[in-house]
Amino acid sequence: MKRIILSGCNGKMGRVVSQAAAEREDCTIVAGFDINADRNESYPVYAEPESFDGEADAIIDFSHPAYFPKVLEFAAARRLPVVVATTGLSAEQREQLQQLAQTVPVFFSANMSLGVNLILDLCKKAAAVLSDSFDIEIVEMHHNQKIDAPSGTALMLADGISSVLPKTPQYVYDRHSRRQKREKNEIGIHSVRGGTIVGEHEVLFAGTDEVITIRHSASSKRIFATGAINAALFLTLQNPGLYDMSHLVSAIGG
């Protein structure tokens, strides 16, 4: 049984991960890290990662970019594999992930859902075929408590599409401020925040007289928790390096 540390354990996603892990027989959460050190589960919670002196096999991080450096420092010091599911990381923090991956296994994905990562592959295939004659727009919808916009998943989809286009597109987030017609070489990214929407992502390929839509809808945060736990178990078997959902999908499939 693998021993997991859960960073961000008292947040919304942390509580879902705790519940999902408690129902499994292949792993257990041995400690939690959170700026709010209240103990709400069976495991101890630490505001400062270095206060934990027990043994663990991997870390799952669903914290906040402001808390993230502490997790990174702890993972480096203990040489522990870390699954990073925190969104809104800066370019500098992403670079720090790259550096950490030289010494420990690191798993990073803007979205831990297997389904989202499958539609990413579909979007890339569609963009490679349709880019010459179709405009590409991305719409993401989340609950009214989500802080970052656009979502990390929307940017992941945009980056994936961009990687197969012949020319790097411009990302446009606010057409209200642009008093001009849509340029060909751009991807529009639109954010909606409301209610308790877990996560909706829609990619539109709009051509002449036809529209192709690729869409993913999440009805529960549990899919992200399951993906993160599976990623942690996968990571305990890997050498140092930077991994993402494509590696996990390949492991599952083959």
Side-chain angles (χ1 to χ4, degrees):
M1 179 178 288
K2 298 299 183 181
R3 301 159 297 182
I4 295 173
I5 296 171
L6 177 56
S7 175
C9 61
N10 285 331
K12 291 181 179 179
M13 271 308 308
R15 293 193 291 271
V16 178
V17 174
S18 293
Q19 294 169 5
E23 298 171 5
R24 299 177 63 138
E25 297 182 353
D26 53 1
C27 66
T28 184
I29 298 177
V30 295
F33 297 160
D34 203 290
I35 191 171
N36 167 20
D38 292 343
R39 181 168 180 166
N40 299 310
E41 303 289 342
S42 60
Y43 53 80
V45 179
Y46 304 89
E48 300 297 331
E50 62 267 22
S51 298
F52 174 70
D53 60 1
E55 298 296 324
D57 299 301
I59 305 169
I60 294 176
D61 179 50
F62 270 107
S63 63
H64 184 277
Y67 191 84
F68 180 71
K70 295 183 178 182
V71 180
L72 219 62
E73 183 178 348
F74 180 84
R78 296 287 295 268
R79 296 294 178 94
L80 277 176
V82 57
V83 176
V84 180
T86 296
T87 59
L89 297 181
S90 66
E92 180 181 358
Q93 288 174 320
R94 289 179 180 238
E95 176 59 31
Q96 291 170 349
L97 279 182
Q98 296 273 1
Q99 296 174 5
L100 179 63
Q102 296 177 18
T103 56
V104 301
V106 175
F107 191 104
F108 176 68
S109 177
N111 191 299
M112 289 292 167
S113 160
L114 181 63
V116 162
N117 286 274
L118 289 175
I119 73 161
L120 171 61
D121 188 51
L122 292 174
C123 288
K124 291 168 67 174
K125 290 179 179 178
V129 174
L130 303 173
S131 62
D132 287 343
S133 54
F134 282 68
D135 297 323
I136 303 170
E137 299 280 310
I138 298 173
V139 181
E140 57 96 351
M141 297 181 283
H142 285 86
H143 53 85
N144 57 22
Q145 300 300 302
K146 186 171 178 61
I147 298 174
D148 55 313
S151 68
T153 301
L155 292 173
M156 179 181 75
L157 292 169
D159 290 344
I161 291 169
S162 176
S163 71
V164 301
L165 297 179
K167 184 178 180 181
T168 302
Q170 176 188 9
Y171 296 169
V172 176
Y173 306 101
D174 183 12
R175 296 200 188 282
H176 178 74
S177 63
R178 293 166 59 93
R179 304 293 293 177
Q180 62 187 61
K181 70 175 185 178
R182 186 191 196 283
E183 298 293 336
K184 178 62 183 173
N185 190 48
E186 66 183 47
I187 296 177
I189 305 176
H190 315 277
S191 299
V192 176
R193 296 290 177 266
T196 59
I197 302 171
V198 174
E200 309 272 347
H201 291 87
E202 187 173 71
V203 181
L204 292 85
F205 296 87
T208 302
D209 299 328
E210 61 179 334
V211 175
I212 298 171
T213 301
I214 299 176
R215 184 172 182 266
H216 179 272
S217 177
S219 58
S220 168
K221 288 183 170 66
R222 190 178 181 86
I223 61 173
F224 310 124
T226 299
I229 293 172
N230 289 339
L233 299 182
F234 162 80
L235 214 56
T236 62
L237 303 175
Q238 308 308 314
N239 294 319
L242 187 60
Y243 301 87
D244 58 28
M245 285 298 293
S246 67
H247 299 100
L248 181 58
V249 171
S250 296
I252 294 173

